[in-house]
Amino acid sequence: MNAAPQPSASPVPPSPLRRLARPLAALVAVGLPTLYVAAVDPNTPGHYPTCPVLSATGWWCPGCGGLRAVHALSHGYLTAAVHDNLLVVVLAVVGAVLWVGWLWAALTGAKAPRIGFGAARTVLLLLVLGLFMVLRNLPAGAGLAPPVV
């Protein structure tokens, strides 16, 4: 004799604190290294290793000047940050907007925003990085290259 099927219990929604755990953990994961870079100036030689692409080729890679841009942003110097690495500033703004959306979704219980990253977007990102690298190493794009330290 089989027992009668039990009605399935509706899932209990997670508490607000549990929903906030991931966005806050991400904030800590990004915030702690940012605090370090804010405190230890990358413009002072000897604190950070030299970029291997710059050392090997003499070309500024897409990330060159990124630490200096983060340092400048953390001190409120937007113009200096843009001069050090425009791409890092753009990515920081995009990341902050996405994080705020994630935080809002966690606070309200809504679905968190998601970004699909398929083959087309990967190719587009690689093209943007390559174009940024080439442009900042040409005389016409010298304003995109970080200052020599």
Side-chain angles (χ1 to χ4, degrees), residues 16-68:
L17 188 58
R18 186 166 173 90
R19 289 192 315 257
L20 286 172
R22 287 184 179 176
L24 293 179
L27 179 65
V28 170
V30 171
L32 289 177
T34 301
L35 285 173
Y36 180 81
V37 173
V40 181
D41 188 358
N43 294 299
T44 305
H47 293 291
Y48 299 96
T50 303
C51 172
V53 174
L54 180 62
S55 295
T57 66
W59 275 44
W60 301 107
C61 80
C64 281
L67 289 175
R68 286 182 254 175

Coordinates of all heavy atoms in Angstrom, one line a residue, residues 16-68:
P16 N 16.5 38.5 3.7 CA 17.3 39.6 3.1 C 18.8 39.5 3.4 O 19.6 39.8 2.5 CB 16.6 40.8 3.7 CG 15.2 40.4 4.1 CD 15.4 39.0 4.5
L17 N 19.1 39.1 4.6 CA 20.5 39.0 4.9 C 21.2 38.0 4.0 O 22.3 38.2 3.6 CB 20.7 38.7 6.4 CG 22.1 38.8 6.9 CD1 22.7 40.2 6.7 CD2 22.2 38.5 8.4
R18 N 20.6 36.9 3.8 CA 21.1 35.8 3.0 C 21.2 36.3 1.5 O 22.2 36.0 0.8 CB 20.3 34.6 3.1 CG 20.9 33.4 2.4 CD 20.2 32.1 2.8 NE 20.6 31.0 2.0 CZ 21.7 30.2 2.3 NH1 22.4 30.4 3.4 NH2 22.0 29.2 1.6
R19 N 20.2 37.0 1.1 CA 20.3 37.6 -0.3 C 21.4 38.6 -0.5 O 22.0 38.7 -1.6 CB 18.9 38.2 -0.7 CG 17.8 37.2 -0.8 CD 16.6 37.8 -1.5 NE 16.2 39.1 -0.9 CZ 15.2 39.3 -0.1 NH1 14.4 38.3 0.3 NH2 14.9 40.6 0.3
L20 N 21.7 39.3 0.6 CA 22.8 40.3 0.5 C 24.2 39.7 0.6 O 25.2 40.4 0.3 CB 22.6 41.4 1.6 CG 21.4 42.3 1.4 CD1 21.2 43.2 2.7 CD2 21.7 43.3 0.2
A21 N 24.3 38.5 1.0 CA 25.6 37.9 1.3 C 26.5 38.0 0.1 O 27.7 38.4 0.2 CB 25.5 36.5 1.8
R22 N 26.0 37.6 -1.1 CA 26.9 37.5 -2.3 C 27.3 38.9 -2.8 O 28.5 39.1 -3.0 CB 26.2 36.7 -3.4 CG 26.2 35.3 -3.1 CD 25.6 34.5 -4.3 NE 25.7 33.1 -4.0 CZ 25.2 32.1 -4.7 NH1 24.6 32.5 -5.9 NH2 25.2 30.9 -4.4
P23 N 26.4 39.9 -2.9 CA 26.9 41.2 -3.3 C 27.8 41.8 -2.3 O 28.8 42.5 -2.7 CB 25.6 42.0 -3.5 CG 24.5 41.1 -3.4 CD 24.9 39.8 -2.9
L24 N 27.6 41.6 -1.1 CA 28.5 42.2 -0.1 C 29.9 41.4 -0.1 O 30.9 42.1 0.1 CB 27.9 42.1 1.3 CG 26.7 43.1 1.5 CD1 26.1 42.9 2.9 CD2 27.0 44.5 1.2
A25 N 29.9 40.1 -0.3 CA 31.1 39.4 -0.4 C 31.9 39.9 -1.6 O 33.1 40.0 -1.6 CB 30.9 37.9 -0.5
A26 N 31.2 40.2 -2.7 CA 31.9 40.7 -3.9 C 32.5 42.1 -3.6 O 33.6 42.4 -4.1 CB 30.9 40.8 -5.1
L27 N 31.7 42.9 -2.9 CA 32.2 44.2 -2.5 C 33.5 44.1 -1.7 O 34.5 44.8 -1.9 CB 31.2 45.0 -1.7 CG 31.6 46.4 -1.2 CD1 31.8 47.3 -2.4 CD2 30.5 46.9 -0.3
V28 N 33.6 43.2 -0.7 CA 34.8 43.0 0.1 C 35.9 42.5 -0.8 O 37.0 42.9 -0.7 CB 34.5 42.0 1.2 CG1 35.7 41.6 1.9 CG2 33.5 42.6 2.2
A29 N 35.6 41.5 -1.7 CA 36.6 40.9 -2.6 C 37.3 42.0 -3.5 O 38.4 41.9 -3.9 CB 36.0 39.8 -3.4
V30 N 36.5 43.0 -3.9 CA 37.0 44.0 -4.8 C 37.6 45.2 -3.9 O 38.6 45.8 -4.2 CB 35.9 44.6 -5.7 CG1 36.4 45.8 -6.5 CG2 35.6 43.5 -6.7
G31 N 36.9 45.4 -2.8 CA 37.3 46.6 -1.9 C 38.6 46.4 -1.2 O 39.4 47.4 -1.1
L32 N 38.9 45.2 -0.7 CA 40.2 45.1 0.0 C 41.4 45.3 -0.9 O 42.3 46.1 -0.5 CB 40.3 43.7 0.7 CG 39.3 43.5 1.8 CD1 39.4 42.1 2.4 CD2 39.6 44.5 2.9
P33 N 41.5 44.7 -2.1 CA 42.6 45.1 -3.0 C 42.6 46.5 -3.4 O 43.7 47.1 -3.5 CB 42.5 44.2 -4.2 CG 41.6 43.1 -3.8 CD 40.7 43.6 -2.7
T34 N 41.5 47.1 -3.5 CA 41.4 48.5 -3.9 C 41.9 49.4 -2.8 O 42.6 50.4 -3.0 CB 39.9 48.9 -4.2 OG1 39.5 48.1 -5.3 CG2 39.8 50.4 -4.6
L35 N 41.6 49.0 -1.5 CA 42.1 49.8 -0.4 C 43.7 49.7 -0.3 O 44.3 50.7 0.0 CB 41.5 49.3 0.9 CG 40.1 49.7 1.2 CD1 39.6 48.9 2.4 CD2 40.0 51.2 1.4
Y36 N 44.2 48.5 -0.7 CA 45.6 48.4 -0.7 C 46.3 49.3 -1.8 O 47.2 50.0 -1.5 CB 46.0 46.9 -1.0 CG 47.5 46.7 -1.0 CD1 48.3 46.6 0.2 CD2 48.2 46.7 -2.2 CE1 49.6 46.4 0.2 CE2 49.6 46.5 -2.2 CZ 50.3 46.4 -1.1 OH 51.7 46.2 -1.1
V37 N 45.7 49.2 -3.0 CA 46.2 50.1 -4.0 C 46.0 51.6 -3.7 O 46.9 52.4 -4.0 CB 45.6 49.7 -5.4 CG1 46.0 50.7 -6.5 CG2 45.9 48.3 -5.8
A38 N 45.0 51.9 -3.0 CA 44.8 53.3 -2.6 C 45.8 53.7 -1.6 O 46.3 54.9 -1.6 CB 43.4 53.5 -1.9
A39 N 46.3 52.8 -0.7 CA 47.3 53.1 0.3 C 48.7 53.0 -0.2 O 49.5 53.8 0.2 CB 47.1 52.2 1.5
V40 N 49.0 52.1 -1.1 CA 50.4 51.9 -1.6 C 50.4 52.5 -3.0 O 49.9 51.9 -4.0 CB 50.8 50.5 -1.6 CG1 52.2 50.3 -2.1 CG2 50.6 49.9 -0.2
D41 N 51.0 53.7 -3.2 CA 50.9 54.4 -4.5 C 51.7 53.7 -5.6 O 52.9 53.5 -5.4 CB 51.5 55.8 -4.2 CG 51.4 56.7 -5.4 OD1 50.9 56.3 -6.4 OD2 51.8 57.9 -5.3
P42 N 51.1 53.3 -6.7 CA 51.8 52.7 -7.8 C 52.7 53.6 -8.5 O 53.5 53.2 -9.4 CB 50.7 52.2 -8.7 CG 49.4 52.4 -8.0 CD 49.6 53.3 -6.9
N43 N 52.5 54.9 -8.3 CA 53.4 55.9 -9.0 C 54.8 56.0 -8.3 O 55.7 56.5 -8.9 CB 52.8 57.3 -8.9 CG 51.5 57.4 -9.7 OD1 51.5 57.2 -10.9 ND2 50.4 57.7 -9.0
T44 N 55.0 55.3 -7.2 CA 56.3 55.3 -6.5 C 56.9 53.9 -7.0 O 56.4 52.9 -6.7 CB 56.1 55.3 -5.0 OG1 55.4 56.4 -4.6 CG2 57.4 55.3 -4.3
P45 N 58.0 54.0 -7.6 CA 58.7 52.8 -8.1 C 59.0 51.8 -7.0 O 59.3 52.2 -5.9 CB 59.9 53.3 -8.8 CG 59.7 54.7 -9.1 CD 58.8 55.2 -8.0
G46 N 59.0 50.5 -7.3 CA 59.4 49.5 -6.3 C 58.3 48.8 -5.6 O 58.6 47.8 -4.9
H47 N 57.1 49.3 -5.7 CA 56.0 48.6 -4.9 C 55.3 47.5 -5.7 O 54.8 46.6 -5.1 CB 55.0 49.7 -4.5 CG 55.5 50.6 -3.5 ND1 55.8 50.3 -2.2 CD2 55.8 52.0 -3.6 CE1 56.2 51.4 -1.5 NE2 56.2 52.4 -2.4
Y48 N 55.3 47.6 -7.0 CA 54.6 46.7 -7.8 C 55.5 46.2 -9.0 O 56.4 47.0 -9.4 CB 53.3 47.3 -8.5 CG 52.3 47.8 -7.4 CD1 52.3 49.1 -7.0 CD2 51.4 46.9 -6.9 CE1 51.4 49.5 -6.0 CE2 50.5 47.3 -5.9 CZ 50.5 48.6 -5.5 OH 49.6 49.1 -4.6
P49 N 55.3 45.0 -9.4 CA 56.2 44.6 -10.5 C 55.9 45.3 -11.8 O 54.8 45.8 -12.0 CB 55.9 43.1 -10.7 CG 54.5 42.9 -10.1 CD 54.4 44.0 -9.0
T50 N 56.9 45.4 -12.7 CA 56.7 46.0 -14.0 C 55.9 45.1 -14.9 O 56.0 43.8 -14.8 CB 58.1 46.2 -14.7 OG1 58.8 47.0 -13.8 CG2 57.9 47.0 -16.0
C51 N 55.1 45.6 -15.8 CA 54.3 44.8 -16.7 C 55.2 44.0 -17.6 O 56.1 44.5 -18.2 CB 53.4 45.8 -17.6 SG 52.5 44.9 -18.9
P52 N 54.9 42.7 -17.7 CA 55.8 41.8 -18.5 C 55.6 42.2 -20.0 O 56.6 42.1 -20.8 CB 55.3 40.4 -18.2 CG 54.0 40.5 -17.5 CD 54.0 41.9 -16.9
V53 N 54.5 42.6 -20.5 CA 54.3 43.0 -21.9 C 55.1 44.2 -22.2 O 55.8 44.3 -23.2 CB 52.8 43.2 -22.2 CG1 52.6 43.7 -23.6 CG2 52.0 41.9 -22.1
L54 N 55.1 45.2 -21.3 CA 55.8 46.4 -21.5 C 57.3 46.1 -21.4 O 58.1 46.6 -22.2 CB 55.5 47.5 -20.4 CG 56.2 48.8 -20.4 CD1 55.9 49.5 -21.7 CD2 55.8 49.6 -19.2
S55 N 57.8 45.3 -20.5 CA 59.2 44.9 -20.4 C 59.7 44.2 -21.6 O 60.8 44.4 -22.1 CB 59.4 44.0 -19.2 OG 59.2 44.7 -18.0
A56 N 58.8 43.3 -22.2 CA 59.3 42.5 -23.3 C 59.2 43.2 -24.6 O 60.0 43.0 -25.5 CB 58.4 41.2 -23.4
T57 N 58.1 44.0 -24.8 CA 57.9 44.6 -26.1 C 58.1 46.2 -26.2 O 58.2 46.7 -27.2 CB 56.5 44.3 -26.6 OG1 55.5 45.0 -25.7 CG2 56.2 42.9 -26.6
G58 N 58.0 46.8 -25.0 CA 58.0 48.3 -25.0 C 56.7 48.9 -25.3 O 56.5 50.1 -25.4
W59 N 55.6 48.0 -25.4 CA 54.3 48.5 -25.7 C 53.5 48.5 -24.5 O 53.6 47.6 -23.6 CB 53.6 47.6 -26.7 CG 53.9 47.9 -28.2 CD1 55.2 48.2 -28.7 CD2 53.0 47.9 -29.2 NE1 55.1 48.4 -30.0 CE2 53.8 48.2 -30.4 CE3 51.7 47.6 -29.3 CZ2 53.2 48.3 -31.6 CZ3 51.1 47.7 -30.6 CH2 51.8 48.1 -31.7
W60 N 52.6 49.5 -24.3 CA 51.6 49.5 -23.2 C 50.5 48.5 -23.5 O 49.9 48.6 -24.6 CB 51.0 50.9 -23.1 CG 51.9 52.1 -22.9 CD1 52.3 53.0 -23.8 CD2 52.6 52.4 -21.7 NE1 53.2 53.9 -23.2 CE2 53.4 53.5 -21.9 CE3 52.7 51.8 -20.4 CZ2 54.2 54.1 -21.0 CZ3 53.5 52.4 -19.5 CH2 54.2 53.5 -19.7
C61 N 50.3 47.6 -22.6 CA 49.2 46.6 -22.8 C 47.9 47.3 -22.3 O 47.9 48.4 -21.8 CB 49.5 45.3 -22.0 SG 49.2 45.4 -20.2
P62 N 46.8 46.6 -22.6 CA 45.5 47.2 -22.1 C 45.4 47.5 -20.6 O 44.7 48.3 -20.2 CB 44.5 46.2 -22.6 CG 45.1 45.5 -23.7 CD 46.5 45.4 -23.4
G63 N 46.2 46.7 -19.8 CA 46.1 46.9 -18.4 C 47.2 47.9 -17.8 O 47.1 48.3 -16.7
C64 N 48.2 48.3 -18.6 CA 49.2 49.2 -18.2 C 48.6 50.5 -17.7 O 47.7 51.1 -18.4 CB 50.2 49.5 -19.2 SG 51.4 48.2 -19.5
G65 N 48.9 50.9 -16.5 CA 48.4 52.1 -15.9 C 47.1 51.8 -15.1 O 46.5 52.7 -14.5
G66 N 46.7 50.6 -15.1 CA 45.4 50.2 -14.4 C 45.5 50.4 -12.9 O 44.6 50.9 -12.3
L67 N 46.6 50.0 -12.3 CA 46.8 50.3 -10.8 C 46.8 51.7 -10.5 O 46.3 52.2 -9.5 CB 48.1 49.6 -10.3 CG 48.1 48.1 -10.3 CD1 49.4 47.5 -9.9 CD2 47.0 47.6 -9.3
R68 N 47.5 52.5 -11.4 CA 47.5 54.0 -11.2 C 46.1 54.6 -11.3 O 45.8 55.5 -10.6 CB 48.5 54.6 -12.1 CG 50.0 54.3 -11.7 CD 50.9 55.0 -12.6 NE 51.5 54.0 -13.5 CZ 52.3 54.2 -14.5 NH1 52.6 55.5 -14.8 NH2 52.8 53.3 -15.2

